[in-house]
Amino acid sequence: MKVEDIVKATNGKLLVGKLQENCENFCTDTRKIQKGDVYVGLKGEKFNGNEYYKDALEKGAKVAVISGIKISEEDLKQYNDKTIIEVEDSLEAFGDIARYKRELYNIPVIQITGSVGKTSTRDIIANVVRTQYKTLQTEGNQNNAIGLPTTLLKLKNHEAVVVESGMNHLGEIRYLGKIAKPTVAVITNIGTAHIGFLGSRENILKAKLEILENLKPDGYIVINNDNDMLNKWAKEDTKYKKYTFGIDEKSDVMAYKEYSVKVPVSGVHFVYNSLCAIAVGNLLNISPENIIKGIETFTLTKNRMEIDKIKDNVTVINDAYNASYDSMKAALEYLKELPGNRKIAVLGDMFELGEFAEEIHRKVGIEVITHKVDMLVTVGELANYIADEAEYLGMPKDQVIRLNTTTEAINYLNDNLEKDDVVLLKAANGMHF
């Protein structure tokens, strides 16, 4: 990409610099600037990156893309050996540059969304695709309007891309899809995450289905056919090419069908994630041997179903990255499966549930009883509803511990864990477990 391409893609204005300057690496953080980078100034809640353009240029950036600030003639003269582009909105411009770059590549782009399991499904899919193609994937939790362009702007000699897309409002997946232009769209499931913003599961489905609006012609939508809402949608829709996976409902890819696959992480939800990866592998004509290898060797992003042994042979399941009803249920299913002395669930508040907060936390309380948890430790105000429901359904009061902070939870566990206990840690990211 050249400066003139950025100007064209963003409808920007060249204030100073060379139109033929090559633009290869992009950065939005002045602390991470490398020599020759293109700096894009983004405005956050607590800072305005546009105001740091001088800092970026002094540190070696050769191009700065900025919006909403006045630059004096004196400053333009001072940086006449650099390039400065003014745009209307630097965040939108960042997306426009990424969209321009993505369109230069005629390669498979797999875009993943869903209420739960996006990141672990992304990790497995990327590991499968990597067995055959040089693959670029979303790292960490970079699944929003900054993270997705950041990923796509790293495209170099890659042969495939796997990106994750998150959302909590209508319109966000549509915007990310406009940038990613997927050849394969994946929806892991429709649950209750962000229901406080969207109001109903029907609206969550509507928001996730925005991924289809930018699906390339002849592209496939890969869906979990066991999910009630996706199953119903798939039966009613006649427009899109679907490829399904499932365990209970008849699907294109089903568990225990033709060959044996060892999934390195336990729990039925990782069977679903693996089936999804097999589906994508099939669509990309990856051999069964490579698909199996990709699944067997994948590693999870940190704080997702990490299993650790600590003193006295206590097993800790660290699934503290985030939480929704569906992921709480899946984690409690896994806790029940593990051998050990007492099964202890340390569960914290779930956020973004709005008027449904009490109802959904109480539903988790039902899962605590269903999966025969021996001891429940709740942390936070909303998690009290989990405790209330568990007690209502017969869990003895001395087996339900209500705490306010993570520090209290740490102290309680240090004082009360016994040999061979199994402990699950699960809460919204904002609880800082």
Side-chain angles (χ1 to χ4, degrees):
M1 245 198 290
K2 296 186 184 298
V3 165
E4 66 179 340
D5 298 320
I6 292 177
V7 172
K8 184 179 165 190
T10 62
N11 199 21
K13 180 183 177 188
L14 184 70
L15 299 182
V16 67
K18 311 181 193 82
L19 285 169
Q20 293 306 307
E21 183 79 73
N22 283 322
C23 302
E24 192 173 350
N25 298 311
F26 293 78
C27 185
T28 59
D29 186 340
T30 54
R31 295 166 299 182
K32 297 175 183 173
I33 287 285
Q34 302 286 316
K35 195 172 187 319
D37 279 357
V38 176
Y39 174 70
V40 183
L42 300 180
K43 190 174 182 179
E45 283 177 27
K46 296 174 183 171
F47 69 95
N48 185 355
N50 294 287
E51 292 170 355
Y52 295 99
Y53 80 95
K54 288 184 186 179
D55 192 23
L57 294 173
E58 297 289 346
K59 286 181 175 176
K62 62 181 178 183
V63 179
V65 180
I66 49 105
S67 67
I69 59 168
K70 286 255 189 290
I71 300 179
S72 68
E73 288 296 325
E74 197 178 312
D75 285 339
L76 289 177
K77 278 178 191 164
Q78 185 186 340
Y79 296 108
N80 65 2
D81 59 332
K82 305 277 189 175
T83 297
I84 301 173
I85 302 166
E86 185 179 46
V87 294
E88 194 170 321
D89 181 315
S90 51
L91 178 60
E92 271 187 37
F94 194 47
D96 290 336
I97 298 165
R99 182 170 69 208
Y100 180 91
K101 182 151 191 180
R102 183 266 175 269
E103 288 286 22
L104 300 174
Y105 289 75
N106 183 20
I107 59 175
V109 174
I110 299 99
Q111 185 181 5
I112 301 156
T113 192
S115 291
V116 289
K118 291 186 292 294
T119 302
S120 46
T121 304
R122 174 204 80 197
D123 290 341
I124 301 181
I125 289 174
N127 216 45
V128 165
V129 175
R130 197 173 284 114
T131 62
Q132 196 155 310
Y133 301 94
K134 184 172 169 52
T135 304
L136 175 67
Q137 76 171 91
T138 302
E139 292 173 6
N141 63 340
Q142 293 198 319
N143 62 9
N144 60 12
I146 296 172
L148 187 136
T150 298
T151 300
L152 289 172
L153 286 168
K154 289 176 182 168
L155 270 166
K156 288 199 168 65
N157 58 340
H158 297 94
E159 299 163 328
V161 183
V162 179
V163 288
E164 176 188 339
S165 296
M167 66 92 212
N168 49 31
H169 290 91
L170 287 163
E172 289 176 85
I173 297 291
R174 176 185 298 115
Y175 175 74
L176 296 174
K178 220 159 103 180
I179 299 167
K181 291 280 170 54
T183 59
V184 177
V186 174
I187 304 180
T188 59
N189 46 49
I190 303 299
T192 55
H194 313 302
I195 198 168
F197 291 131
L198 288 149
S200 66
R201 286 183 74 217
E202 286 72 20
N203 275 347
I204 293 170
L205 173 66
K206 188 178 170 188
K208 300 297 184 188
L209 287 172
E210 289 174 0
I211 200 170
L212 296 170
E213 294 175 29
N214 293 284
L215 185 63
K216 289 277 190 179
D218 291 330
Y220 273 87
I221 170 73
V222 174
I223 58 166
N224 178 348
N225 214 23
D226 286 355
N227 183 268
D228 57 340
M229 302 204 75
L230 288 171
N231 181 299
K232 181 174 181 288
W233 171 80
K235 283 175 180 167
E236 293 169 356
D237 175 75
T238 55
K239 185 177 176 184
Y240 295 98
K241 290 161 78 173
K242 295 162 219 66
Y243 200 66
T244 59
F245 63 92
I247 295 173
D248 302 321
E249 296 287 337
K250 186 166 170 41
S251 305
D252 295 306
V253 177
M254 298 189 71
Y256 325 119
K257 196 176 175 188
E258 287 178 14
Y259 46 82
S260 175
V261 183
K262 182 176 181 294
V263 183
V265 184
S266 297
V268 71
H269 47 309
F270 280 94
V271 175
Y272 279 110
N273 297 346
S274 301
L275 290 170
C276 184
I278 293 167
V280 173
N282 287 347
L283 289 175
L284 268 56
N285 296 315
I286 296 172
S287 69
E289 294 74 23
N290 278 343
I291 291 172
I292 291 168
K293 181 180 159 196
I295 292 169
E296 290 183 350
T297 60
F298 96 98
T299 52
L300 275 173
T301 295
K302 202 166 167 50
N303 295 340
R304 288 170 169 85
M305 296 301 284
E306 283 185 3
I307 314 299
D308 291 306
K309 288 276 188 187
I310 58 173
K311 67 178 181 179
D312 295 329
N313 201 41
V314 170
T315 302
V316 178
I317 307 163
N318 176 4
D319 196 26
Y321 176 75
N322 219 334
S324 65
Y325 165 71
D326 303 273
S327 64
M328 284 271 199
K329 180 183 176 185
L332 288 164
E333 282 174 4
Y334 180 48
L335 177 65
K336 184 186 176 188
E337 288 173 18
L338 286 185
N341 176 21
R342 298 177 302 169
K343 308 296 177 67
I344 302 170
V346 185
L347 307 179
D349 293 353
M350 298 177 286
F351 299 149
E352 299 181 352
L353 298 173
E355 64 186 283
F356 300 93
E358 179 179 346
E359 176 192 338
I360 289 170
H361 282 84
R362 284 187 179 278
K363 279 177 72 179
V364 172
I366 296 169
E367 299 299 335
V368 166
I369 299 299
T370 304
H371 294 99
K372 299 181 167 54
V373 169
D374 297 305
M375 182 162 284
L376 170 65
V377 179
T378 64
V379 183
E381 195 178 337
L382 292 170
N384 277 315
Y385 292 123
I386 302 174
D388 290 345
E389 193 67 20
E391 285 184 2
Y392 173 74
L393 293 171
M395 195 168 193
K397 277 189 171 11
D398 64 345
Q399 289 171 235
V400 180
I401 312 299
R402 299 166 188 256
L403 303 172
N404 296 312
T405 67
T406 50
T407 305
E408 288 175 26
I410 289 164
N411 293 337
Y412 176 82
L413 292 169
N414 279 333
D415 292 341
N416 291 280
L417 285 178
E418 297 173 5
K419 191 174 185 300
D420 300 325
D421 280 347
V422 184
V423 185
L424 167 68
L425 307 176
K426 186 101 179 122
N429 203 14
M431 291 298 288
H432 308 297
F433 266 28

